Amino acid sequence: MLDIKEMEGDGSQPLLSGQNGSSTPGMNFMTPAHFLSDFAAGGGGDDADLGGEGEDKGRESLSVASEAAGQAKGRKGCVSKLCVLATVGVLAVLGVVGFFLGGPSIAASELNGSSVAFTRLTMSDPSADDYSFEVQADVVISDVSPLDGTIGEMAVDLIYKGTKLGRLQMPAIDVKAGQDNYKSVDSQRFVVEEDARDVWDEFSNAMLMEGTVDWTLEGTASVTSSVLGISMTFDNLDFHKEIPLTCFDGLDDVQMSVFDLTQSTPDQILVEMSVCLKNPSDISISDLGDMYFGVYYGESYMGNVTAASAKVEVTKDDASSVGCEQFGATGYNLIPMFGNLEPSDHDAADELMSRYLSGQDTAVSAKALSPVADSLPMFNQGMQGLSLDTTLNGDETPLIVGIEFKSATISPVNNDALNMAMVADVSMQNPLGPESPLYITEVNMVVDMSYAGATVGTAKTFDTNVPEPNEVKGNSVLTVPAFALLELPDKGAALTKFAKDLINLDSLDTGLLGDTSTVAYCPALGYSMNIAGVPIVLPNEDTAPPLPPVTVQGMGGLKDVSILSYSISGVVPDGTDGCTEMCGLVMGVTARVNNPSPFGLEIGTLNGELRDGNGVTLGTVGTDPATNFVLSPGINNVTMTGKMSPQGDDAILAAADFMSAYMNNSAQVTTVYGTDAGDTTVSWLNDIVNGVELSALFPGAGDDFEALTEIDIKSMDMELTADGRVRAASTVRARLNVPPEVDQSIILDVDFSGMKFDLIDVDSLSHLGRIELEVADVPVIYEDGYITATFDKTDLVIKDFEGMQKCVKDLMVGPSKNVLMKGTASPHVKTGMGVLQLSEVPFEGQTIMYGYNNLLDPVSGDPEMKITKIDIASGETGKLNMLIDVEVINPSNVKPELGAVTMELWTYNETDADSGFKIGEVTVEDFILDANEDKNAVTTFKAVPATYITPTDGKKSEDAGSLFLSNFVSGINQTAALRGAADGSGTDRDLLKPALAAMRSSSDVPGLVGNLLRRSTMHLPNPFGHDSLYNLPTDLYVYNPFSADMTMTSSHCDIYPCKEYADDSYTKCKTWYEESAGYYTPDALDETVKAGETKKLDTKEVKLNSILSREMIQTLFSSAGGGALIKLNGTMGVSVGDFHMDVYVAEHDVPICLAYAGSLHDCDAR
């Protein structure tokens, strides 16, 4: 029997190489030398053994013949070329004759000794109606010997277990002796004999289940070969080959490539799976039809899948299908399968899904369904009993892909545990896809939470109901409220770090490692699945894409803190906590704390230090232990109470700065620095609280807060210096305010206060000037919330010269002026928390500067300036120099110091202050008016130089001047107008010039007190002289009250005797006669009366109007009896130095005495 070998070529070489380069057609089964050798040995015929031992003998004989020929050649000594050629020819002829005689035996031996193997068998296009398909094969023919040749085309029967399955048409095949000869059998239709279909079913089953299957090829062959260019064909040779076919061997290498449930619908769980089958054979089946399997987990049926139009095209030497390369480079076929899950055992299904979703590999089987395992009848029976056993790899796509904490409030239990009430958004990938929902009704998680490489704790939620909406479809986010117990390692050491970083950082990356058991209702299955051990691994670098850690938004340092309200309500009582005095200020604050993190912390009590922006401790505050403070996610209102009690010099200075900035309405950073959590026994809670910082801008006192109000200038001294400066001193009283949130009682005393302020004109808003005073320069008295500050003269630095001029002018001519004092105070304050030097506390207050009102009473309008005395000092042409005493009532509380001031004297017109005639000037060399709070301070000026200037602007002005002097001399009080020079020349202070130019005042000018004519003596006329009875000799006694000599130059004064006396003293006349008795005197006068002296003028006649008139008789008899009174009205010429004046005089109650011989009285004695 022929030995048929299985060839394991890779199919890349041609099956047959034809003549392999030979130029002679046909197949050379035996060479001529072989033939001759064999023939000489007596071989040949049907029994000739052309191979093996016979061949060796032929070669041996040929060698002996050759050797004999050589010896003969040697013996003869010569061999010609002709002899050689003849010998070869004879041998060739003998070989051809031998080939023709032994050819059939050689051809049969050639066929029987060769081996045939299939290197590839391809089955395709199977028929659904009959057992037929397209077949194509690659074969290799080996062990061909001894001649090359051609096996002719032939039909062969394919026989299995003695039954012909069908016929296969083989093409002509050229073969080479001693080589593997490859040949492709063209695709052809192979039809299984109808009566052999049962055997075919056995064959197909064996092909699937067994490693090799033996089948037989039978037919009649023809062989063609040639010798020396002579070709011969031998027909009707039997062809019988038993060929072992390498088969699928039960397909025991099955790898799961894809398992996908995401195409599921609301009504069905659809499974899409792809398996990679290892084909250990050279058989390629391009269409197996639809293959039907049942999916099993253990012995539990899970559902059906179908491999539609399945094919196993990749043979053992072919490159693996795309999608299967990971299992091996060659031989793996990708078989997609589709179906649905309908588990018969819910518990088993839950276990399978739990393992799958938890990433555990699970053995599953796809078993061919019975009785229909394939849609093609020719494969259906063969499929029976086929089981594709594989491993369902755990799902590499996690069910839970992210967790975001929406809220989580930590509540301490003890040093080893805490409770956490949380709401988390769980991002899930529904393994059933976007159309088949799962309704998560319950979860139970056990998860290790880690941070910064350490385990914070193990969280256990226990069975937690999930409220609606709880539907998960595709990629969904499920909101799960849960209550967890977190067991803490190392007494909460890692928790402390986590919590501190949570408070201080904007975000933190945490890890979760654990699993959850889940109850999920699946409408597609119609029951609630219990899925155990679903892993929670965040972060997870092994997934695609990798899953990030759980990022928790931190509190970011709790930067969004604002103070809603605060109070400083009083003083901590002396003796508190061992403190003797100034033990602090009672304070409280309510702050709005925005916690941006989803995490909160139940603290209970938060105690801390109150610190300023530089970290200096100003006091202590804490929450009320009874309120159980919880720092929750979002907005928190936190109320803390305590005291401001700075300790040490640095803290006192910081407190002063803090209060100064506060009263300056400057918001400033203030921090509550956590120290402890009260009396809690949970050490990690204290550790967390220690160092917590709540920083906020402590608000200023408010936009409408003014530290000083009710500003009242009690008195002021304003000096206008010769060098153009303004120097001011003042006593100011004002209310020292505290904001409404602060109790006034915190201020115990104020003893000094620096001040820096601008003086502002309220009307023009001009900043007139600025005063700056050091603390030590301003002593203060504090009483009932008011301070009274006094400062000595200091420069008021002029900032607006013209504005200051206007202010001075307004004060000069008006009753008051509203000014604004705007600046800062730096009070040295004794408070309930210590003595503080506050700095630059702003204030702005309006106050009144009372003006001089043109030195007129602001109510009545009467002059506040009164000339009380006038003394004539000298005279010169047109000018009468005087010294006057002046009394001024200051209607202001401002003391002016104005230097030398010259005011003009004008005749007074009550209805028109700008009319009249200038009659003189008054110069006060150092104009200073006392001032007081009552605005009635009196200043007296003595011997103030004044000048009467004779008006020269015409008759009216001259008359007005004469009238002024006449009234004065006559003792008549009168009013004179006072004005400053229109050009401002009345002062050398530029600031004062506009004010003085605008001044319109007046003054009472008293008449001369007492008569110049002190008395007169009349002598009896000479009765015998011509007109002597009309001429009455008279002596006048004239008093000069002035400091300058006075010369009487003329007099024409009518004499009016007294008609009725006021009393018996005869010193005061009640009624005067209306008609003059005469006048004094027609005589010329030139009498000088020394200053301050009384002089009897030379005797002059009184010219009587009638002789012995009633008036004269009464006067004479009265005067003869000891005295009478007369009045004189008229003119008088008077000169003082070079100044001459003619004035109208009215002398009243002038005593007159009649002197005659023998009188009983002495007129001189009167």
Side-chain angles (χ1 to χ4, degrees):
M1 181 179 290
L2 294 175
D3 181 17
I4 300 176
K5 296 182 178 179
E6 177 182 358
M7 307 301 293
E8 296 183 356
D10 57 6
S12 63
Q13 297 178 348
L15 294 178
L16 293 175
S17 57
Q19 298 302 319
N20 198 22
S22 173
S23 61
T24 303
M27 175 178 278
N28 295 324
F29 285 89
M30 184 177 293
T31 65
H34 288 166
F35 179 79
L36 290 175
S37 175
D38 190 55
F39 184 79
D46 292 339
D47 298 328
D49 184 358
L50 299 182
E53 183 179 351
E55 184 177 336
D56 293 338
K57 291 180 179 180
R59 289 174 180 154
E60 183 179 350
S61 300
L62 184 58
S63 176
V64 171
S66 297
E67 183 180 352
Q71 291 174 353
K73 179 178 179 183
R75 289 192 300 266
K76 292 179 179 181
C78 66
V79 178
S80 66
K81 290 183 180 180
L82 181 61
C83 289
V84 174
L85 289 175
T87 301
V88 173
V90 171
L91 293 174
V93 171
L94 292 175
V96 171
V97 172
F99 175 70
F100 281 107
L101 293 177
S105 296
I106 295 172
S109 176
E110 189 89 11
L111 286 176
N112 293 330
S114 63
S115 60
V116 179
F118 284 90
T119 60
R120 186 179 189 88
L121 179 65
T122 301
M123 303 167 65
S124 61
D125 192 21
S127 171
D129 298 328
D130 58 14
Y131 281 44
S132 67
F133 54 88
E134 290 290 320
V135 64
Q136 186 271 333
D138 293 340
V139 298
V140 59
I141 301 174
S142 306
D143 300 326
V144 176
S145 177
L147 299 175
D148 297 343
T150 299
I151 301 175
E153 180 180 349
M154 62 179 170
V156 296
D157 294 332
L158 195 154
I159 299 171
Y160 179 69
K161 290 187 176 181
T163 300
K164 174 184 175 182
L165 298 179
R167 175 161 290 185
L168 187 64
Q169 191 69 32
M170 299 291 289
I173 302 174
D174 294 334
V175 295
K176 292 287 187 179
Q179 296 183 6
D180 291 335
N181 298 278
Y182 295 93
K183 183 64 176 178
S184 292
V185 179
D186 292 338
S187 179
Q188 55 192 280
R189 196 73 184 172
F190 182 85
V191 180
V192 177
E193 301 289 334
E194 187 171 351
D195 58 358
R197 290 181 179 179
D198 290 342
V199 179
W200 170 264
D201 291 339
E202 292 181 36
F203 169 76
S204 63
N205 184 264
M207 181 175 61
L208 289 172
M209 301 299 185
E210 298 177 14
T212 60
V213 174
D214 292 334
W215 62 355
T216 303
L217 297 181
E218 292 185 352
T220 301
S222 65
V223 176
T224 302
S225 185
S226 64
V227 175
L228 298 178
I230 300 174
S231 177
M232 180 172 287
T233 298
F234 304 97
D235 297 320
N236 298 318
L237 300 175
D238 290 334
F239 183 83
H240 180 92
K241 293 291 183 182
E242 289 187 6
I243 303 174
L245 182 65
T246 303
C247 296
F248 296 105
D249 199 19
L251 295 172
D252 58 357
D253 186 354
V254 181
Q255 304 293 332
M256 185 73 71
S257 175
V258 174
F259 185 84
D260 181 33
L261 303 175
T262 61
Q263 303 304 312
S264 299
T265 69
D267 302 321
Q268 288 184 309
I269 294 184
L270 301 181
V271 58
E272 174 184 350
M273 53 190 284
S274 295
V275 297
C276 292
L277 303 179
K278 175 68 172 180
N279 183 358
S281 76
D282 296 314
I283 302 172
S284 173
I285 304 176
S286 61
D287 189 355
L288 282 166
D290 296 340
M291 303 170 68
Y292 309 118
F293 296 92
V295 178
Y296 286 81
Y297 170 54
E299 298 301 321
S300 299
Y301 170 76
M302 295 289 110
N304 290 339
V305 292
T306 298
S309 300
K311 53 188 176 181
V312 184
E313 292 182 311
V314 176
T315 67
K316 63 182 179 61
D317 297 320
D318 293 340
S320 296
S321 300
V322 175
C324 294
E325 301 94 330
Q326 69 269 32
F327 304 114
T330 59
Y332 283 95
N333 291 265
L334 184 67
I335 309 294
M337 298 180 181
F338 301 90
N340 64 291
L341 297 184
E342 299 176 299
S344 60
D345 185 336
H346 292 173
D347 291 340
D350 292 351
E351 183 179 337
L352 174 62
M353 290 302 295
S354 297
R355 293 181 62 84
Y356 173 65
L357 295 176
S358 65
Q360 299 182 60
D361 294 346
T362 305
V364 294
S365 300
K367 297 182 180 181
L369 294 179
S370 179
V372 179
D374 198 290
S375 63
L376 297 177
M378 64 178 296
F379 294 129
N380 181 53
Q381 290 300 319
M383 287 274 294
Q384 297 300 316
L386 177 64
S387 177
L388 302 180
D389 300 326
T390 187
T391 297
L392 175 60
N393 299 117
D395 194 1
E396 294 182 357
T397 301
L399 178 66
I400 296 176
V401 297
I403 293 179
E404 178 184 357
F405 289 101
K406 304 301 290 184
S407 66
T409 300
I410 296 172
S411 300
V413 175
N414 52 44
N415 284 327
D416 301 313
L418 61 82
N419 291 324
M420 186 162 62
M422 61 183 175
V423 176
D425 279 353
V426 182
S427 297
M428 305 181 69
Q429 294 186 121
N430 185 348
L432 304 183
E435 301 299 330
S436 185
L438 290 174
Y439 294 92
I440 310 298
T441 59
E442 187 176 297
V443 295
N444 186 338
M445 291 185 285
V446 179
V447 181
D448 285 345
M449 180 180 179
S450 62
Y451 173 68
T455 299
V456 175
T458 300
K460 299 177 180 180
T461 66
F462 307 102
D463 292 338
T464 300
N465 293 325
V466 180
E468 295 181 353
N470 58 352
E471 181 185 65
V472 177
K473 293 177 71 174
N475 293 331
S476 300
V477 177
L478 196 65
T479 299
V480 180
F483 180 85
L485 174 68
L486 195 68
E487 298 173 347
L488 306 175
D490 300 328
K491 305 298 182 182
L495 171 68
T496 300
K497 176 171 177 53
F498 167 75
K500 283 185 173 291
D501 286 353
L502 178 72
I503 292 170
N504 294 319
L505 302 180
D506 292 331
S507 65
L508 299 85
D509 288 340
T510 63
L512 297 178
L513 178 62
D515 58 62
T516 177
S517 295
T518 303
V519 178
Y521 176 72
C522 177
L525 294 178
Y527 78 97
S528 291
M529 305 174 66
N530 289 282
I531 309 300
V534 175
I536 301 174
V537 183
L538 299 170
N540 191 344
E541 296 292 334
D542 296 331
T543 62
L547 297 181
V550 178
T551 298
V552 177
Q553 182 178 358
M555 300 181 189
L558 292 171
K559 296 176 182 177
D560 187 4
V561 180
S562 57
I563 294 178
L564 301 178
S565 63
Y566 64 93
S567 66
I568 301 176
S569 55
V571 176
V572 176
D574 292 347
T576 300
D577 297 330
C579 171
T580 57
E581 64 172 346
M582 294 185 290
C583 299
L585 306 181
V586 178
M587 74 171 303
V589 62
T590 297
R592 172 187 175 275
V593 180
N594 180 22
N595 176 9
S597 172
F599 271 75
L601 177 62
E602 181 181 338
I603 297 175
T605 301
L606 172 60
N607 292 328
E609 295 177 351
L610 181 68
R611 296 181 176 182
D612 69 3
N614 296 318
V616 179
T617 300
L618 304 178
T620 57
V621 292
T623 60
D624 185 352
T627 61
N628 189 32
F629 170 54
V630 179
L631 180 61
S632 301
I635 301 301
N636 298 265
N637 288 341
V638 184
T639 297
M640 308 184 82
T641 57
K643 62 181 179 179
M644 290 186 68
S645 54
Q647 303 298 311
D649 293 343
D650 290 343
I652 288 291
L653 291 175
D657 291 342
F658 178 87
M659 294 302 294
S660 298
Y662 166 64
M663 298 185 76
N664 195 20
N665 195 29
S666 295
Q668 52 192 317
V669 175
T670 308
T671 301
V672 174
Y673 184 89
T675 55
D676 60 74
D679 57 1
T680 181
T681 59
V682 180
S683 59
W684 56 259
L685 183 59
N686 272 322
D687 292 340
I688 292 172
V689 169
N690 185 16
V692 169
E693 294 187 15
L694 298 178
S695 295
L697 286 177
F698 195 91
D703 293 336
D704 56 352
F705 172 72
E706 296 296 341
L708 299 178
T709 57
E710 302 179 35
I711 299 175
D712 182 13
I713 299 176
K714 309 303 287 184
S715 64
M716 188 173 186
D717 186 347
M718 182 179 291
E719 176 189 3
L720 306 183
T721 66
D723 57 4
R725 292 179 297 138
V726 177
R727 290 178 58 76
S730 184
T731 296
V732 180
R733 185 174 187 268
R735 180 170 183 81
L736 178 59
N737 296 308
V738 293
E741 295 84 0
V742 180
D743 193 88
Q744 189 78 33
S745 65
I746 73 166
I747 299 177
L748 305 180
D749 194 13
V750 183
D751 54 2
F752 287 93
S753 178
M755 300 182 76
K756 298 177 182 179
F757 64 90
D758 282 359
L759 191 67
I760 301 172
D761 189 322
V762 171
D763 297 328
S764 67
L765 298 180
S766 169
H767 288 244
L768 306 176
R770 183 171 180 82
I771 289 177
E772 295 190 359
L773 299 161
E774 298 299 326
V775 175
D777 295 336
V778 187
V780 171
I781 298 173
Y782 178 75
E783 185 177 7
D784 296 331
Y786 287 85
I787 60 170
T788 301
T790 300
F791 60 89
D792 293 334
K793 277 185 185 178
T794 188
D795 282 347
L796 189 157
V797 179
I798 298 173
K799 300 177 73 173
D800 181 352
F801 184 83
E802 292 182 356
M804 182 61 78
Q805 279 186 321
K806 181 179 182 303
C807 177
V808 173
K809 174 183 174 183
D810 291 345
L811 289 173
M812 180 65 75
V813 302
S816 63
K817 182 171 183 60
N818 290 330
V819 293
L820 194 66
M821 296 174 69
K822 181 177 182 179
T824 61
S826 298
H828 188 251
V829 186
K830 180 180 181 181
T831 73
M833 63 176 170
V835 177
L836 307 180
Q837 177 57 66
L838 304 184
S839 60
E840 298 187 353
V841 177
F843 70 88
E844 179 177 338
Q846 185 171 310
T847 188
I848 298 174
M849 292 181 68
Y850 289 96
Y852 306 107
N853 197 41
N854 281 317
L855 296 178
L856 301 175
D857 187 293
V859 177
S860 65
D862 294 337
E864 298 280 33
M865 183 173 182
K866 297 178 181 180
I867 298 174
T868 58
K869 177 183 178 182
I870 298 177
D871 183 18
I872 297 174
S874 64
E876 53 187 293
T877 303
K879 293 182 180 181
L880 185 62
N881 299 319
M882 301 176 289
L883 295 173
I884 63 176
D885 291 348
V886 181
E887 183 180 275
V888 181
I889 299 175
N890 186 355
S892 170
N893 58 355
V894 179
K895 176 182 179 179
E897 297 186 40
L898 308 179
V901 174
T902 297
M903 292 175 284
E904 297 178 343
L905 284 172
W906 287 66
T907 58
Y908 179 72
N909 187 325
E910 184 176 1
T911 61
D912 185 1
D914 288 327
S915 64
F917 302 98
K918 179 180 178 181
I919 57 174
E921 294 177 346
V922 176
T923 298
V924 180
E925 293 298 334
D926 192 6
F927 193 95
I928 299 174
L929 295 183
D930 290 334
N932 60 21
E933 184 178 347
D934 295 329
K935 299 179 286 295
N936 60 4
V938 177
T939 302
T940 300
F941 297 95
K942 296 290 187 178
V944 175
T947 301
Y948 173 81
I949 302 173
T950 302
T952 58
D953 294 337
K955 182 71 169 55
K956 287 185 178 181
S957 67
E958 294 173 0
D959 291 344
S962 178
L963 177 60
F964 177 82
L965 291 176
S966 297
N967 288 338
F968 168 67
V969 171
S970 300
I972 299 175
N973 294 336
Q974 59 185 327
T975 300
L978 289 172
R979 302 182 192 175
D983 60 0
S985 59
T987 179
D988 61 355
R989 275 43 169 183
D990 291 337
L991 282 173
L992 186 60
K993 288 180 181 294
L996 203 58
M999 181 180 177
R1000 297 292 184 268
S1001 186
S1002 63
S1003 175
D1004 289 340
V1005 180
L1008 189 61
V1009 177
N1011 295 325
L1012 290 176
L1013 303 177
R1014 289 300 178 93
R1015 61 190 178 90
S1016 76
T1017 300
M1018 294 183 177
H1019 300 276
L1020 290 176
N1022 183 0
F1024 305 106
H1026 178 69
D1027 293 333
S1028 59
L1029 294 179
Y1030 287 90
N1031 299 315
L1032 186 65
T1034 301
D1035 299 330
L1036 288 182
Y1037 293 83
V1038 177
Y1039 173 66
N1040 181 0
F1042 306 118
S1043 298
D1045 295 345
M1046 178 178 65
T1047 300
M1048 305 286 293
T1049 60
S1050 65
S1051 176
H1052 190 288
C1053 295
D1054 289 328
I1055 298 173
Y1056 295 90
C1058 180
K1059 183 178 181 180
E1060 181 181 3
Y1061 289 91
D1063 53 37
D1064 293 341
S1065 67
Y1066 296 100
T1067 59
K1068 191 72 174 176
C1069 181
K1070 181 178 180 180
T1071 305
W1072 300 99
Y1073 283 105
E1074 294 181 357
E1075 294 183 5
S1076 170
Y1079 70 92
Y1080 177 89
T1081 173
D1083 299 334
L1085 292 175
D1086 187 12
E1087 295 280 355
T1088 297
V1089 183
K1090 294 294 184 180
E1093 297 182 2
T1094 299
K1095 180 180 181 181
K1096 174 186 174 184
L1097 303 183
D1098 292 342
T1099 301
K1100 301 294 181 182
E1101 292 183 345
V1102 173
K1103 190 68 173 179
L1104 298 177
N1105 291 328
S1106 63
I1107 300 175
L1108 299 178
S1109 63
R1110 180 182 176 185
E1111 297 85 348
M1112 196 61 212
I1113 290 173
Q1114 181 174 347
T1115 299
L1116 289 174
F1117 276 103
S1118 296
S1119 62
L1125 298 176
I1126 62 174
K1127 71 175 181 177
L1128 291 87
N1129 289 343
T1131 60
M1132 182 179 294
V1134 179
S1135 294
V1136 177
D1138 293 333
F1139 180 81
H1140 179 78
M1141 54 183 171
D1142 292 314
V1143 296
Y1144 175 82
V1145 295
E1147 297 274 320
H1148 294 264
D1149 297 320
V1150 176
I1152 186 172
C1153 180
L1154 180 64
Y1156 55 90
S1159 64
L1160 297 178
H1161 60 274
D1162 184 1
C1163 287
D1164 291 336
R1166 302 184 64 183

